[in-house]
Structures are given as structure tokens and as C-alpha cells.
Amino acid sequence: MVRLGESIGVSFLKVEPESLRLYVEEQIINNFDGDLWNVHGVS
């Protein structure tokens, strides 16, 4: 997207205690549309 002149965004979220991290990660992934969650850089 950057090569095409588009911008991208990155967000960070610190989760404490660490034991909640996997739960929060799963909830974030489940709440995003597949088009928005591009893990491997392939559309």
C-alpha cells in the first residue's frame, strides 16, 4: 500500500497481566474483518 501512495496504521496495546494477552489477542482478531487482518502481507 505504501508503494501505491497509501498510508498504513499500526496500533499497540500493552495488556497486563500477561495471562490476559492471548484472550485479548483472540478477541481483536475475531472482531476484525478478514480484509483488515493481513498477517502475511498477502491480499
Side-chain angles (χ1 to χ4, degrees):
M1 293 308 295
V2 174
R3 280 189 239 151
L4 296 174
E6 300 291 328
S7 40
I8 60 170
V10 177
S11 296
F12 294 92
L13 178 66
K14 183 175 183 176
V15 177
E16 291 183 335
E18 176 69 19
S19 59
L20 288 178
R21 185 184 58 79
L22 290 176
Y23 172 77
V24 171
E25 182 178 309
E26 183 177 322
Q27 293 303 307
I28 291 170
I29 292 170
N30 288 337
N31 287 322
F32 275 102
D33 186 345
D35 292 337
L36 297 175
W37 194 258
N38 192 346
V39 177
H40 299 287
V42 177
S43 295

